[in-house]
Amino acid sequence: MEGDPKADTLLDAALEKFEDQVCFGMYNQATVHQYRAEFAMYRAARAGEPASSVAEEVERHLARAEAKHAEALEYKPTFLDGYLGQSSVAQSRAKLAADYLLEPVRPREDLKDAAERAAAEEAANRAAQAKAFQRVSAESAQAAEAFMDASYALIGAAIDHMSEEERGKEVKPMRPTAEQTPGDPESEMPVKASLLINLGNAHYEHSILRAAGGLDWRPLVEKAAAKFREAGAHQVDIRNALKGHPLSEELADLIGPEPEEPEVSQDAPTEESTTAPKGLPALPSKSKKKEAEAAA
């Protein structure tokens, strides 16, 4: 086996996989610290307290998360999730600086009708966003700018460290999220597309902080939509993401008209017609599980 090129290739691949596992262990530890930071921010939001009331606690957890990501990147500089994790930490700091504390919304499991439940949760989300907007001033929104700049730079570092193989892959149009099947190779997102969506998400989140502070925000939404399109995201998902923006009523030209409902044959089964579509667009990155746990 010694000197066998095929064996060397297999061993190199195995080593890389094990290196990734080491890095993901550090990444997961960082995620725990960041969850603790965000739970503290949720607690302040529920109590109506300013971000300053939990700033020291939040920063302690974010610093630990940042250190774990840095440890992973020192071990393997091409571990792209390490840069994205640090970018997420920077965005959490931006929200803390802006005093944009969003109260988590409890799932309406008491409502059995899916459409009614979705409407109730959407209304509660809108109310929570409006409440968070009231916390932010022009000065606090401006204080978040440096952290958002850091977030962009870290996503840029991930793009710079992307392998030549991934860089050369074609970005193909995606199916709508609701039509994607987990584990289906056709639904697998290329690394390049994932990074573009992360960049779009950062612009989207930045636009919310600027909007809350009364600063110029719309160009950031336009950049977000452009990055989603560049990533190959389906227009249905992009449209739904824009509709979720707190100031979506001012984005009618970007959102566009409601798509026409496809005609249903009278002979077709009607069972699914009474069920709300499953799956939501994953463009604005949010952890529903994390928010649900915080709301409990």
Side-chain angles (χ1 to χ4, degrees):
M1 190 171 172
E2 185 178 353
D4 184 345
K6 185 176 180 180
D8 287 340
T9 300
L10 291 172
L11 290 171
D12 287 343
L15 180 60
E16 184 172 5
K17 287 184 181 296
F18 287 130
E19 288 176 345
D20 284 342
Q21 290 304 311
V22 171
C23 289
F24 276 118
M26 299 176 196
Y27 178 93
N28 289 334
Q29 291 177 63
T31 300
V32 171
H33 293 307
Q34 189 163 358
Y35 278 6
R36 292 186 187 280
E38 295 193 11
F39 286 156
M41 293 167 72
Y42 291 151
R43 188 177 69 245
R46 280 198 299 263
E49 298 290 339
S52 59
S53 68
V54 292
E56 184 176 343
E57 176 186 355
V58 170
E59 179 53 36
R60 183 169 66 251
H61 293 307
L62 291 179
R64 290 170 179 169
E66 186 176 48
K68 276 298 172 184
H69 289 310
E71 187 179 348
L73 288 170
E74 183 177 0
Y75 180 77
K76 186 176 182 180
T78 57
F79 180 62
L80 305 187
D81 283 288
Y83 298 105
L84 299 182
Q86 287 188 326
S87 174
S88 179
V89 168
Q91 289 183 42
S92 292
R93 284 176 170 147
K95 292 174 184 176
L96 186 70
D99 203 7
Y100 185 78
L101 304 185
L102 192 62
E103 186 174 349
V105 173
R106 287 181 171 84
R108 292 299 304 273
E109 296 176 353
D110 58 309
L111 300 176
K112 303 306 179 185
D113 181 77
E116 185 181 359
R117 182 168 62 249
E121 290 177 356
E122 175 62 20
N125 274 317
R126 290 288 182 182
Q129 288 173 338
K131 190 175 179 180
F133 260 51
Q134 294 174 2
R135 294 172 165 272
V136 184
S137 66
E139 292 75 17
S140 66
Q142 192 64 48
E145 292 291 295
F147 297 115
M148 290 308 304
D149 287 343
S151 175
Y152 294 136
L154 288 159
I155 298 172
I159 292 172
D160 290 342
H161 284 85
M162 186 168 41
S163 70
E164 290 301 321
E165 179 184 0
E166 292 294 344
R167 197 182 300 276
K169 287 184 179 178
E170 179 185 1
V171 173
K172 298 179 181 179
M174 304 178 199
R175 295 200 300 265
T177 299
E179 297 179 12
Q180 294 178 16
T181 303
D184 180 4
E186 291 295 321
S187 299
E188 186 175 344
M189 187 184 300
V191 171
K192 185 192 299 186
S194 177
L195 294 177
L196 288 169
I197 286 179
N198 270 276
L199 187 54
N201 285 337
H203 288 308
Y204 185 97
E205 296 294 336
H206 191 183
S207 76
I208 293 175
L209 298 182
R210 290 185 65 87
L215 306 180
D216 188 22
W217 60 275
R218 185 183 165 103
L220 290 168
V221 181
E222 294 171 349
K223 286 182 180 180
K227 289 301 174 186
F228 296 154
R229 287 192 294 270
E230 187 180 350
H234 196 279
Q235 184 58 32
V236 168
D237 286 341
I238 297 174
R239 189 174 184 279
N240 286 338
L242 296 176
K243 286 173 67 177
H245 195 281
L247 298 185
S248 58
E249 70 277 2
E250 299 182 34
L251 298 172
D253 57 320
L254 287 179
I255 294 172
E258 290 283 348
E260 293 183 6
E261 293 290 336
E263 293 185 7
V264 179
S265 169
Q266 292 183 350
D267 298 328
T270 59
E271 181 180 351
E272 294 185 1
S273 64
T274 59
T275 305
K278 295 181 180 179
L280 294 174
L283 300 182
S285 55
K286 301 194 183 292
S287 172
K288 297 297 180 185
K289 179 180 179 182
K290 176 174 56 179
E291 293 180 9
E293 290 172 350

